[in-house]
Amino acid sequence: MGTAPGPEGADPLQKDSKVAAVKVQAIGVAPRQVTMKGLYFQQSSTSEEITFVFQERENLPVTEDNYVKLQVKACALSQINTKLLAEMKMEKDFFPVGREVAGIVLDVGSKVSFFQPGDEVAGILPLDSEDPGLCEAVRVHEHYLVHKPEKVTWTEAAGTIRDGVRAYTALHYLSHLSPGKSVLIMDGASALGTIAIQLAHHRGAKVISTACSLEDKQCLERFRPSIARVIDVSNGKAQVAESCLEETGGLGVDIVLDAGVRLYNKDDEPTVKLQLLPHKHDIITLLGVGGHWVTTEENLQLDPPDSHCLFLKGATVAFLNDEVWNLSNVQQGKYLCILKDVMEKLSTGVFRPQLDEPIPLYEAKVTMEVVQKNQGRKKQVVQF
């Protein structure tokens, strides 16, 4: 005969397994390996076309050393610079997508000194991160994170942090913005332009901006404090150089942050969008003595006459590469100061980002395709 059942007719082994399951649930540990979905991109070897795909990922291993395990609450979407990845020898079969994140610390490594479980943080994952920000949980070194103020929402933190870094790099480190300076910010209604205008206003600068459409012009005219001059370039008739010289009494502006420039004549660049951009000669003309031109055009070409004109003005040209902080460990302290200041200005209302409505994770693939083609205006943020 078999073993008699217990007093309540239950199998002792089954009862033990139920008790174990209850204990597992009580301490918050999954009884089996859990998988998560993450978004990756794959680039065709024969063309520049990028394909975005969701892939299953195993649950993250135990956090070690200076790494933090983060539960992602929001992740902002930005264009992926595939050319830079190729130059840095970072190509992979599948590359993780999403780097601007905000979330809650789940676990910390033995050497982590700045954070503890339960902290609310925000940051930008490094270029060589193995984890996509578009996932439920990621691992990230503590030096890429800062505390998120309580009054700042998840979407605001994730949606502002990268453009905040870009604005600080351009106006603070590359052009030494100070009160009383005149600043021209091209395409001011863009995600970067919006934050740059607010930072320039906060520092006491006189701001001039360009608008690429009637909607952008109306958006810029609503800024408080108001922009000194909004130049509508949507019809192709406005002369940016003439407008800036008129606004500054012929002295020219002290700082220019462009959103791209035309290197050739309009006939050689038929794309409508390119025709809305100022020519490089216009930028040089409107620069004042000792002016700073911060450009986002990585392939800028200056002919000898251009260089001579800049020489006569004592002007400088700087290239805005926000990834420079990730490529140089020496500047890590300055980088963290920028991240902290961006969060502080969000908390105090200095920065009021132009964000689109948050989207769920399952829409991230389609939305990322739009972002990669640079077809959106407002910042797109995925909310978990």
Side-chain angles (χ1 to χ4, degrees):
M1 295 180 62
T3 305
E8 299 178 1
D11 186 342
L13 295 178
Q14 184 179 3
K15 182 178 180 181
D16 290 343
S17 64
K18 289 182 178 179
V19 171
V22 170
K23 289 182 178 179
V24 165
Q25 293 175 1
I27 62 175
V29 179
R32 58 184 177 81
Q33 192 74 358
V34 178
T35 59
M36 302 176 291
K37 280 187 176 181
L39 189 65
Y40 296 79
F41 82 83
Q42 185 178 28
Q43 188 170 1
S44 171
S45 58
T46 58
S47 67
E48 295 296 322
E49 184 179 354
I50 289 180
T51 303
F52 294 96
V53 295
F54 280 107
Q55 286 193 329
E56 292 285 345
R57 307 178 62 237
E58 289 187 352
N59 196 19
L60 300 179
V62 177
T63 310
E64 297 179 354
D65 297 335
N66 294 95
Y67 280 80
V68 169
K69 183 177 179 181
L70 186 68
Q71 178 188 357
V72 179
K73 303 295 288 185
C75 178
L77 307 181
S78 294
Q79 274 187 307
I80 298 167
N81 190 338
T82 55
K83 183 178 179 181
L84 177 62
L85 295 176
E87 291 174 354
M88 299 301 298
K89 309 297 182 185
M90 291 183 177
E91 297 114 320
K92 303 177 183 178
D93 292 337
F94 292 93
F95 203 90
V97 176
R99 295 172 54 203
E100 303 133 75
V101 297
I104 301 174
V105 174
L106 296 176
D107 190 19
V108 298
S110 58
K111 297 181 180 179
V112 171
S113 55
F114 297 130
F115 306 104
Q116 59 186 3
D119 285 351
E120 297 183 353
V121 299
I124 304 176
L125 304 183
L127 272 174
D128 58 356
S129 173
E130 297 180 359
D131 300 332
L134 286 169
C135 189
E136 295 176 9
V138 297
R139 292 166 300 178
V140 56
H141 196 285
E142 64 172 333
H143 289 165
Y144 292 100
L145 298 171
V146 293
H147 287 95
K148 180 188 76 65
E150 184 178 353
K151 62 174 64 175
V152 175
T153 67
W154 301 115
T155 54
E156 287 174 340
T160 309
I161 194 163
R162 181 173 182 178
D163 290 314
V165 169
R166 298 179 76 193
Y168 263 90
T169 304
L171 299 180
H172 183 70
Y173 286 99
L174 297 180
S175 56
H176 310 292
L177 178 68
S178 59
K181 291 287 184 72
S182 55
V183 183
L184 170 63
I185 297 174
M186 308 297 295
D187 195 11
S190 65
L192 170 61
T194 297
I195 299 300
I197 288 173
Q198 292 170 354
L199 178 60
H201 272 154
H202 180 70
R203 295 294 300 275
K206 176 182 181 179
V207 179
I208 305 170
S209 186
T210 61
C212 299
S213 67
L214 177 59
E215 183 181 0
D216 286 354
K217 183 174 183 291
Q218 294 171 343
C219 174
L220 293 174
E221 289 174 342
R222 290 194 294 267
F223 268 94
R224 294 293 180 271
S226 60
I227 294 174
R229 186 161 188 164
V230 178
I231 306 170
D232 186 359
V233 299
S234 60
N235 56 15
K237 296 179 181 179
Q239 300 295 322
V240 177
E242 291 180 7
S243 298
C244 289
L245 290 173
E246 180 183 342
E247 186 63 39
T248 58
L251 298 176
V253 300
D254 299 305
I255 299 170
V256 176
L257 172 57
D258 71 32
V261 293
R262 285 190 295 112
L263 303 178
Y264 311 103
N265 296 325
K266 289 186 178 182
D267 295 338
D268 300 323
E269 294 178 323
T271 305
V272 175
K273 183 178 179 181
L274 285 175
Q275 292 186 11
L276 295 178
L277 297 176
H279 195 280
K280 59 181 178 180
H281 295 154
D282 295 334
I283 300 293
I284 295 173
T285 300
L286 62 83
L287 266 180
V289 173
H292 300 280
W293 175 10
V294 181
T295 182
T296 58
E297 176 54 63
E298 59 184 63
N299 296 314
L300 180 67
Q301 300 176 29
L302 295 178
D303 300 320
D306 301 328
S307 298
H308 185 64
C309 188
L310 289 168
F311 168 77
L312 292 176
K313 293 186 175 188
T316 62
V317 179
F319 293 86
L320 177 56
N321 174 18
D322 53 306
E323 299 294 357
V324 71
W325 302 107
N326 276 318
L327 303 177
S328 173
N329 293 327
V330 179
Q331 305 292 334
Q332 198 66 44
K334 292 182 179 179
Y335 179 60
L336 285 176
C337 287
I338 294 176
L339 295 182
K340 291 176 182 177
D341 212 32
V342 171
M343 288 297 109
E344 179 185 343
K345 284 181 170 48
L346 265 175
S347 178
T348 57
V350 173
F351 288 163
R352 297 179 298 276
Q354 298 282 349
L355 305 178
D356 215 334
E357 288 296 322
I359 61 173
L361 180 60
Y362 65 82
E363 292 184 8
K365 177 179 177 294
V366 175
T367 306
M368 192 61 209
E369 292 171 351
V370 174
V371 171
Q372 188 64 23
K373 294 176 182 177
N374 199 24
Q375 295 177 341
R377 294 296 288 164
K378 294 182 179 180
K379 196 76 172 182
Q380 299 284 347
V381 182
V382 175
Q383 189 171 26
F384 289 77

